[in-house]
């Protein structure tokens, strides 16, 4: 009987260790980009682009990523254009380098740019003010030497009080 309890105790201990050290997944729900397709090309108006779904799959624990290439290449911008303009108050980005997060209005004019720093990595960052009338949000590589890995990107809508 004592042997059985040792085996049960050992199994419970190792099960607990497995749970503690498993890859963590984080769900950032209620995001405007959750599950949406983004595009990657040379600009938000580029007619040549690739579809990217890993940036918005809400699966950070998988550690899968897609890259933005250095500034001078043809795949240095990733973007999503909303069907209707939105208001954005915060974002979450998981990347291995700094880059610009740029918000455009319906006329494709820049309405706000945030320089993302590594210290903000994987945290929900509140913008200094609500950015209204956003039609397109973009990630733009500012690196001139190597690729920037993007693991996850999400933006959050401002509460309107309705």
């Amino acid at each position: 009987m004592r042997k059985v309890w040792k085996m049960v105790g050992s199994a419970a201990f190792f099960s607990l260790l497995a749970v503690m050290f498993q890859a963590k997944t984080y769900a950032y729900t209620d995001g405007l980009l959750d599950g949406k397709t983004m595009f990657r090309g040379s600009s938000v108006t580029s007619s040549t682009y690739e579809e990217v779904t890993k940036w918005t799959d809400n699966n950070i624990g998988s550690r899968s990523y897609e890259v933005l290439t250095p500034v001078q290449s043809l795949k240095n911008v990733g973007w999503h254009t909303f069907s209707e303009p939105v208001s954005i108050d915060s974002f979450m980005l998981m990347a291995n380098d700094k880059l610009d997060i740029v918000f455009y209005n319906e006329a494709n004019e820049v309405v706000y740019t945030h320089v993302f720093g590594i210290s903000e990595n994987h945290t929900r960052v509140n913008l200094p003010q609500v950015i209204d009338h956003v039609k397109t949000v973009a990630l733009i590589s500012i690196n001139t030497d190597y690729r920037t890995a993007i693991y996850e990107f999400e933006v959050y809508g401002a509460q309107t009080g309705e």
Side-chain angles (χ1 to χ4, degrees), residues 39-65:
F39 302 97
R40 178 176 49 193
S42 60
S43 74
V44 296
T45 59
S46 177
S47 61
T48 305
Y49 54 83
E50 298 173 344
E51 291 185 359
V52 180
T53 57
K54 287 183 182 178
W55 296 340
T56 58
D57 66 1
N58 209 0
N59 191 6
I60 296 169
S62 71
R63 302 296 289 171
S64 64
Y65 63 90

Side-chain angles (χ1 to χ4, degrees), residues 7 75 131 138 146 154 162:
M7 288 174 37
K75 297 178 186 175
I131 312 301
Y146 54 91
E154 189 60 84
E162 294 177 358

